[in-house]
Amino acid sequence: MNSQQIEKKIPFKDILDKSLRIFFSDAMRITLKNPLQAYYFYRTVKWQRSSARVRSQFDNQGIKVPPIMIFSITNRCNLHCKGCYHHALQRSNKQEMSADKLRSIFSEAENLGISFCVLAGGEPLVRKEILDITREYPKIVFLVFTNGLLINDEVLLKLKGQNNFVPVISMEGYEEGTDSRRGKGVYQNLQNTIKAIKGKNLFWSVSLTVTRTNFEGVTDTGFIRSLINMGCKLFFFLEYTPIKEETEDWVLSDEQRSQLLIIRNSLRSQFRALFITVPGDEEEIGGCLSAGKGFIHINAEGDVEPCPFAPYSDTNLMETSLKDALQSEFLRTIRESHEHLNETEGGCALWIKREWLSKVYHAHTN
């Protein structure tokens, strides 16, 4: 069933809202041994329902508000990983937004019904103030994608009681795979970081970039079990998108892409943990979620973009409100272009259709 057929039967926003409720209900279930964390996810399910009602009210006014906001809060990073999409996109050297501006955006997002925020970079923990800012918004769940090397005793102390802050540590499997991409010694440092996180009884996650060459390593049941034994409750399998030149051969084969979904389902049946594939899970709920259909991306300078892999923007939050930015005609055109973004080819739809995307952008900005 393709995304157009799904939307004819059930409104897409209802499918996505239900999927998020299921996600947090599952999160509550797998954290029952940690009553405080489980109680937070119980409350989160209620907040998600409330936020969904707010989004529906805006939808009735013709304003499409996604439940998820991806926010690259800085371009700075303490590593220089091979194949990094952020470095490859050559972000501008404009000044990143201030802490007060971040607060303003989070406040408006919460009022609009956005209840799920992915923080990225660069390395988001380069901005130490983010730990204080996220504490001010307990109804927003912050998934913080980090290389993990800046998580120290000071950070862990600030995370105490901050159940809405979920570290998502990036790895490429065991030591050889992780160090070959991220640098010598990174894997062992992460082992120490993970032990420290486990000692604080925090909910944490891992992000595994899946390539053609590391496929067997990052999907190995023994590797997954070792992380679960160390307290990991949430796994993201991210298919590599070849934005960096000369990395096209990192892309999964069709056979591997199909196998990844089979492995995901098997892991779900074996372990008390959450397993998500990207873009695989997107396809199952209606295709590409970019441009405000399911999420939008904000870069460190305030540009509102369809996706982290699509650095095109006709609005900037230093000049306009988030509410007004979401009504961008450029974003609307992408949302309504199912014939271009049906993910039957596999991989990131916007990257596959980047020539079409560039034409759409220039049509709206010239």
Side-chain angles (χ1 to χ4, degrees):
M1 181 180 291
N2 64 34
S3 60
Q4 290 174 307
Q5 290 172 321
I6 288 174
E7 293 209 59
K8 286 179 181 178
K9 291 186 176 182
I10 305 174
F12 175 79
K13 66 181 183 64
D14 293 345
I15 297 173
L16 184 55
D17 288 343
K18 181 179 179 181
S19 297
L20 287 172
R21 288 197 300 271
I22 292 172
F23 172 83
F24 286 111
S25 295
D26 287 345
M28 180 177 66
R29 174 180 53 80
I30 67 172
T31 56
L32 288 176
K33 291 183 179 180
N34 183 344
L36 290 177
Q37 188 71 65
Y39 179 62
Y40 171 74
F41 284 125
Y42 166 75
R43 290 192 298 168
T44 298
V45 172
K46 297 174 64 177
W47 291 333
Q48 288 289 324
R49 289 195 181 102
S50 176
S51 295
R53 288 193 292 270
V54 172
R55 294 194 298 270
S56 290
Q57 292 171 0
F58 281 109
D59 188 62
N60 292 335
Q61 301 172 32
I63 301 171
K64 302 293 183 182
V65 179
I68 301 168
M69 179 170 68
I70 303 175
F71 202 157
S72 297
I73 60 174
T74 183
N75 293 323
R76 293 173 286 159
C77 188
N78 54 325
L79 290 180
H80 196 103
C81 302
K82 295 178 182 177
C84 175
Y85 79 89
H86 194 84
H87 286 300
L89 290 175
Q90 298 179 336
R91 298 292 184 178
S92 74
N93 293 319
K94 294 180 183 178
Q95 185 174 2
E96 61 191 27
M97 288 181 286
S98 68
D100 285 342
K101 185 60 180 178
L102 296 185
R103 287 184 170 91
S104 173
I105 293 171
F106 291 138
S107 294
E108 187 180 3
E110 186 175 54
N111 291 334
L112 288 169
I114 296 174
S115 52
F116 201 90
C117 186
V118 176
L119 296 185
E123 167 53 50
L125 292 183
V126 166
R127 300 196 64 167
K128 294 183 179 181
E129 70 271 29
I130 197 62
L131 297 162
D132 299 313
I133 296 173
T134 54
R135 185 180 291 275
E136 298 170 17
Y137 302 92
K139 294 183 180 181
I140 299 178
V141 176
F142 293 92
L143 287 179
V144 185
F145 280 70
T146 171
N147 59 47
L149 299 183
L150 299 181
I151 298 178
N152 53 26
D153 290 341
E154 179 186 359
V155 169
L156 292 174
L157 182 63
K158 286 195 172 187
L159 290 181
K160 184 178 180 180
Q162 195 175 162
N163 293 312
N164 65 322
F165 188 108
V166 179
V168 184
I169 297 175
S170 299
M171 301 177 69
E172 272 71 39
Y174 289 115
E175 185 169 13
E176 182 180 358
T178 297
D179 285 5
S180 66
R181 187 179 184 201
R182 298 183 173 271
K184 186 174 177 59
V186 170
Y187 179 83
Q188 286 301 324
N189 283 329
L190 288 181
Q191 297 307 294
N192 296 330
T193 295
I194 290 169
K195 288 177 183 177
I197 292 173
K198 183 181 180 181
K200 299 297 183 181
N201 206 24
L202 298 175
F203 186 95
W204 65 282
S205 171
V206 68
S207 168
L208 304 166
T209 300
V210 190
T211 69
R212 190 174 306 183
T213 55
N214 76 4
F215 183 88
E216 292 185 5
V218 298
T219 60
D220 176 68
T221 302
F223 172 65
I224 300 300
R225 181 181 289 109
S226 70
L227 289 173
I228 290 176
N229 289 340
M230 296 181 76
C232 186
K233 298 292 187 182
L234 172 60
F235 293 78
F236 289 93
F237 294 94
L238 309 180
E239 292 185 31
Y240 181 74
T241 298
I243 288 179
K244 184 74 173 178
E245 290 184 8
E246 301 179 355
T247 61
E248 289 82 0
D249 58 349
W250 290 23
V251 178
L252 296 185
S253 66
D254 292 340
E255 181 181 355
Q256 287 175 321
R257 187 169 289 115
S258 298
Q259 186 67 19
L260 182 60
L261 298 180
I262 295 172
I263 292 171
R264 177 204 62 187
N265 293 339
S266 175
L267 293 172
R268 286 175 176 175
S269 67
Q270 292 181 65
F271 300 110
R272 288 176 60 85
L274 302 174
F275 299 90
I276 296 173
T277 59
V278 179
D281 281 64
E282 285 184 288
E283 294 180 29
E284 294 181 348
I285 58 174
C288 180
L289 300 180
S290 69
K293 187 178 181 184
F295 66 80
I296 45 97
H297 176 247
I298 302 170
N299 71 19
E301 295 85 27
D303 294 324
V304 179
E305 302 171 342
C307 171
F309 297 110
Y312 298 95
S313 177
D314 62 346
T315 54
N316 184 285
L317 296 185
M318 297 300 293
E319 302 167 353
T320 189
S321 68
L322 179 58
K323 179 182 177 181
D324 287 342
L326 290 173
Q327 299 177 69
S328 155
E329 286 297 309
F330 170 56
L331 296 179
R332 181 189 60 78
T333 300
I334 297 171
R335 285 196 302 271
E336 295 177 357
S337 300
H338 299 293
E339 71 278 10
H340 290 284
L341 300 179
N342 192 333
E343 301 203 45
T344 55
E345 298 177 70
C348 173
L350 285 182
W351 176 249
I352 292 170
K353 302 293 184 180
R354 56 192 179 277
E355 292 183 6
W356 166 81
L357 179 64
S358 178
K359 291 178 182 178
V360 172
Y361 171 72
H362 288 102
H364 283 282
T365 55
N366 291 337

